[in-house]
Structures are given as structure tokens and as C-alpha cells.
Amino acid sequence: MSWKASAIEDLSGKTVVITGANSGLGLASSHALAAKGAHVIMTARDEQRGWAAKAKVEHAIPGASVEVRRLDTSSLDSVRSFTKDFSGPLDILLNNAGIMAIPFSQSVDGYEMHLATNHLGHFALTALLLESLKAAPAARVVTISSVAGKQTAMSFDDITTETGYEKWSAYARSKLANLLFTAELDRKLRDVGSTISALAAHPGLSDTNLFPDDSGRMGGIVKRLAQSADAGALPQLFAATSPTAQSGQYYGPSFAEFRGGPKLLKMPTVAVSVEEAQKLWAQSVDVTGLDFSF
Ligand SMILES: NC(=O)c1ccc[n+]([C@@H]2O[C@H](COP(=O)([O-])OP(=O)(O)OC[C@H]3O[C@@H](n4cnc5c(N)ncnc54)[C@H](OP(=O)(O)O)[C@@H]3O)[C@@H](O)[C@H]2O)c1
């Protein structure tokens, strides 16, 4: 599909929240959505980086309606304090922030850092923003996964300890959690006849700060092969805005899921297990102390 961000309809009057908006795909999405008139709440774990990113958007799009708010998805307190001050309606929530393949560490709440940052924080954020999403006529929650999400099986043990830790497996588990969360959220929303949609997207291989410049040989290969962040953001932008995108769908790049325009993908086999999704949901409720009041 040769869909481009210029095809996004007018978003005047719509409000968007993007996690990890100061860099890579979050920044590219902030640009594209602000360019179409949305009010974009760019959230960042580091406010200075958030302000710098906001300045870039405002420079590129004079008159852009953007604000910066601090939000660290690895901290349940930070998620709570962001949502406490939020009043809806919220049209688009882009659960985008992520870390990849870092050495073992624990979040302030004591959970393995990939799962905390990439999944648990977004689970809590979505739960706490549900009333704002309900207040919009047809809100969308788009959660960013990765091809890594299909290269694993869900494991529910050791979400606190270093036992058996391997950094790529930890990343893959968190990205599978993004898909299982989306699938279960979609089922729960459909059960209650909600107007909210839940979709997932992934960017293929995109040149962002996920692979830092000092990531050695692999980083060099990535830089040469990757598409731009603007191109990588297209699947999430399509999922967030296209009138043809439906709840429960998963979008990624058209060419071998590696690069190219957005394409509707099959949910990977590991992400379609209702049992696994329900188990993850129950564990996420338990860990965050939050549930969704559909
Ligand atoms: N690039 C790819 O090829 C690729 C492939 C598959 C999936 N993805 C997914 O795409 C998403 C966006 O990543 P990207 O490629 O755009 O990488 P990026 O340029 O590194 O952007 C990641 C963003 O997430 C933020 N972040 C990290 N930890 C956070 C936390 N605890 N709280 C709040 N924000 C946090 C980062 O903030 P800082 O700037 O402060 O670090 C940054 O703004 C991720 O979910 C990633 O898994 C990317």
C-alpha cells in the first residue's frame, strides 16, 4: 500500500496522547498528526528532551497545537500523576514508548524493565485514560509492537528477578505482551459494544534511537538497512487514523514486514491465544492494581 501521512484526514478538534514522543517514531507521529490539525500531547520521560522535540515540531509546522507532559511509562506513579491531571475527551492514544535489549534492571515498582516500560505502563495508562477515551466519539488505542513479538512465547514467571534473564528475550516478551494486550482489549471493548477501537502496529526496521550510535556492528547494519522514522511511523499512523482500519487489526510495513507502506498483517500465532491474553491481563491487573471499568 503506498499510503502516505498526507492522506490523513483533517484532525482539527481531536486530541492525541503519544508516549515516547521526543524521539524516533513518536516524534515522527507527533509531526504527522500535528500537521493535520490535532492537538498533540507529546509525553516524554525527560521533560528537557520533550521541550526540544516540541520545538522541532513547532518549527516544522508553524501554528502546531502541541504540549509537553512528563510521563515515564516504567513508573506507575508517573502514569498516575500524568492521568490525574488529564481531562478528556481523548481521540487517539499511541502507546509507543519503548526500550530494547538493555541489561537487566528493575523499574521503581520492582518489575523487569522491558515489561514495565513497554507493557505494564501502557496497560495502566490505557486503564486510567479509559473515561477520556469513552468521552470521544470513536477513540483509538494503538499499541506499538515489533516482529520480535512473534519470535517468543509468553512467560509469566520471573517478572521481577534476574533469573534466566536474556535481554533480547525480555524485549520480545514485552512486544508479545503489546499484541496480547491489544487482542484482549479489543475483545473486551467489543463485548460491551464500545465505540473505542484497539489496534496494534509495528514499524519494521526504522532508523531511530532504539539502536544507539554506539551499538557496534549491529547498529551500523541497522543504520544502513533501516527506513526513515517517518516511513516507519506510517503503520501506526494508518492504524490511528485511517477510516478503513478496524479494531483488533495489526499493521506493519508491506515489504516482508521490513520496510514499505502500511499493510494489514495476520496477528502472529503466539498472539492469538485467548488463554494467554487473559492470563497476561489478570497478571497486569494484579501488578498495577488497576482494572478497566468498561
Ligand atoms: N526502530 C525500530 O526499528 C523498531 C522496530 C520494532 C519496534 N519498534 C518500537 O517502536 C517504538 C518506538 O521506538 P523508536 O524506534 O522510535 O525508538 P526511540 O527513538 O528510542 O524512541 C523511543 C521513545 O521511548 C521513550 N522511552 C523509553 N523509555 C521510556 C520510559 N520509561 N517512559 C517514557 N518514555 C520512554 C524514549 O525516551 P528517551 O528519548 O528519553 O529515551 C523515546 O522517546 C518502541 O515501542 C519500539 O519497541 C521500533
Side-chain angles (χ1 to χ4, degrees):
M1 194 191 303
S2 62
W3 186 85
K4 293 196 167 50
S6 55
I8 297 173
E9 290 173 359
D10 179 44
L11 298 174
S12 304
K14 309 262 188 216
T15 299
V16 178
V17 167
I18 305 180
T19 64
N22 62 287
S23 174
L25 308 171
L27 178 56
S29 297
S30 300
H31 266 106
L33 297 171
K36 290 295 176 174
H39 176 62
V40 181
I41 302 174
M42 300 176 68
T43 74
R45 62 175 158 176
D46 179 301
E47 258 178 312
Q48 295 298 322
R49 289 200 282 273
W51 290 116
K54 175 178 181 275
K56 284 185 196 160
V57 175
E58 287 171 334
H59 180 73
I61 307 152
S65 178
V66 279
E67 64 177 287
V68 173
R69 297 273 311 277
R70 184 169 184 282
L71 172 55
D72 180 340
T73 59
S74 72
S75 156
L76 295 172
D77 263 0
S78 177
V79 173
R80 278 196 199 91
S81 83
F82 170 79
T83 54
K84 186 167 60 64
D85 300 332
F86 192 90
S87 51
L90 174 60
D91 298 280
I92 298 170
L93 171 60
L94 273 188
N95 287 328
N96 165 82
I99 48 167
M100 183 178 74
I102 63 163
F104 179 80
S105 63
Q106 280 178 331
S107 68
V108 285
D109 304 302
Y111 301 106
E112 187 281 310
M113 195 56 105
H114 291 88
L115 200 68
T117 305
N118 299 356
H119 166 63
L120 292 171
H122 288 127
F123 179 89
L125 182 65
T126 311
L128 290 168
L129 289 175
L130 196 66
E131 289 309 312
S132 295
L133 291 161
K134 282 184 194 167
R140 296 191 193 188
V141 178
V142 179
T143 302
I144 314 311
S145 184
S146 163
V147 286
K150 64 178 167 190
Q151 292 154 358
T152 189
M154 200 58 212
S155 69
F156 298 94
D157 302 333
D158 295 326
I159 71 164
T160 58
T161 71
E162 196 172 354
T163 312
Y165 183 78
E166 197 284 310
K167 63 184 183 177
W168 287 104
S169 305
Y171 177 66
R173 171 171 74 172
S174 72
K175 292 286 120 182
L176 173 56
N178 291 145
L179 293 179
L180 290 167
F181 165 63
T182 298
E184 188 61 16
L185 180 60
D186 168 58
R187 276 188 288 274
K188 290 187 182 309
L189 289 167
R190 303 288 68 78
D191 279 355
V192 296
S194 173
T195 57
I196 303 170
S197 299
L199 301 95
H202 83 78
L205 187 63
S206 302
D207 185 5
T208 67
N209 291 323
L210 202 62
F211 307 86
D213 287 337
D214 62 356
S215 56
R217 193 164 154 264
M218 188 180 170
I221 294 169
V222 166
K223 294 272 173 211
R224 281 200 298 282
L225 296 180
Q227 59 183 349
S228 68
D230 285 347
L234 292 177
Q236 65 200 55
L237 289 168
F238 187 89
T241 63
S242 170
T244 63
Q246 305 285 318
S247 191
Q249 290 181 338
Y250 183 31
Y251 286 89
S254 54
F255 180 69
E257 291 193 40
F258 171 60
R259 57 191 301 140
K263 179 186 167 191
L264 179 61
L265 304 175
K266 243 179 99 178
M267 271 279 183
T269 316
V270 283
V272 296
S273 162
V274 177
E275 197 185 323
E276 293 285 90
Q278 288 178 346
K279 209 167 153 190
L280 176 68
W281 193 279
Q283 189 180 39
S284 306
V285 168
D286 191 38
V287 161
T288 61
L290 292 165
D291 205 351
F292 284 60
S293 44
F294 294 104

